[in-house]
Amino acid sequence: MSVMTAATGTSACWGDRIFRGHWYASTRKRFVPQALTNLVQVVTPRRCKALIFKGISPLSVSVCTINTITPTAKRPEEVRDPKSNANASDPLQAYQLYVELDWVRPKVWRRLLVPITIKLSSLHVTLLFGTGWQGGHLHEFIFADANYGRIEPGWDLADGVLDEEHVTLQEALGSRKTFIYVYDYGDNWRHKVKVEKIVKLDTPISSAICLDGENACPPEDVGGAPGYEEFLAALADPADPEHESIKEWIGGSFDPTAFDVAEVNERLNSPAT
């Protein structure tokens, strides 16, 4: 999957400008997420991303490349607060999750219903498609006492990440009701997830259901939250020198306020999930 190799002599592109914009912005005390303060520049064929490397000073940045649904469902009846233990074998119970993309404006959020028995490997796909991502990047679940991800030989995951394959959300949560889902280590999309409640269903659900949400998912590889902010500003300003190249990169228009719950549910219930 993601293999990093040294590279030199890369040509400038819109993504490269955005990356340098992030770095200059940080020196000017503009908003940059804390997690992006230690960076290694990563150049892809058409864009550039910020890849987090702990312990590497941003003053000595190196350059490298990286290879890179519509069901109709009744709103369920509330049962109890998630602090109480759920019956893991009860197919008529589900978690109601509130998912919000951190650092992004306009605020991107989703309200999802997932089976109480869902495994983290399936929850990854739910959060991926429920938010609107296309996939193709590494991910990680961050809980209070453990981190989980997909373990494959040669994949560059952080030390201590446990295999998610056979772990359920209920087991990973314990008595807690919040966790973080990170998608794409380069752009560092952090999703804050909260279990709002446990609900009782009329009939079991085999896959997730999106109940509500707002605003479009950012484009893949746009450069994280700071890159998305600059992307929207340039796209909205025809006088911006990058306006035309950004329109070409995104393939025309992009509406940051777009959201269609039926379209999300179609994705969630597609055979790929």
Side-chain angles (χ1 to χ4, degrees), residues 128-146:
L128 189 79
F129 291 159
T131 305
W133 304 113
Q134 300 301 312
H137 297 285
L138 299 179
H139 69 277
E140 186 175 335
F141 291 96
I142 303 175
F143 293 88
D145 56 1

Side-chain angles (χ1 to χ4, degrees), residues 47-208:
R47 61 197 68 87
C48 173
K49 303 187 294 181
L51 180 64
I52 306 166
F53 266 68
K54 294 182 180 179
I56 296 180
S57 169
L59 297 179
S60 57
V61 178
S62 62
V63 180
C64 39
T65 52
I66 194 164
N67 301 333
T68 48
I69 297 182
T70 314
T72 302
K74 282 196 249 182
R75 286 192 175 264
E77 171 192 354
E78 181 177 355
V79 176
R80 58 183 179 272
D81 187 271
K83 291 179 182 177
S84 59
N85 291 327
N87 183 350
S89 62
D90 188 349
L92 294 180
Q93 288 188 338
Y95 284 126
Q96 181 173 302
L97 305 179
Y98 175 81
V99 184
E100 182 179 324
L101 198 51
D102 215 0
W103 305 319
V104 171
R105 293 293 179 270
K107 182 168 70 174
V108 177
W109 65 272
R110 306 286 185 261
R111 181 164 285 114
L112 305 170
L113 204 64
V114 301
I116 207 163
T117 55
I118 193 168
K119 293 181 179 178
L120 294 184
S121 54
S122 296
L123 182 60
H124 153 61
V125 179
T126 293
L127 295 174
L128 189 79
F129 291 159
T131 305
W133 304 113
Q134 300 301 312
H137 297 285
L138 299 179
H139 69 277
E140 186 175 335
F141 291 96
I142 303 175
F143 293 88
D145 56 1
N147 293 10
Y148 298 89
R150 183 177 175 184
I151 306 298
E152 294 285 350
W155 285 18
D156 190 16
L157 294 175
D159 292 341
V161 175
L162 305 176
D163 193 348
E164 69 184 16
E165 184 64 26
H166 302 294
V167 180
T168 66
L169 174 57
Q170 187 178 40
E171 291 168 339
L173 274 173
S175 61
R176 296 170 295 274
K177 55 181 181 180
T178 61
F179 62 96
I180 299 292
Y181 167 75
V182 178
Y183 170 65
D184 185 355
Y185 288 156
D187 279 5
N188 191 37
W189 298 113
R190 292 173 62 90
H191 305 65
K192 298 184 295 186
V193 186
K194 178 180 180 180
V195 179
E196 293 185 314
K197 57 188 176 184
I198 296 168
V199 299
K200 184 168 179 60
L201 307 169
D202 294 330
T203 57
I205 56 175
S206 58
S207 59

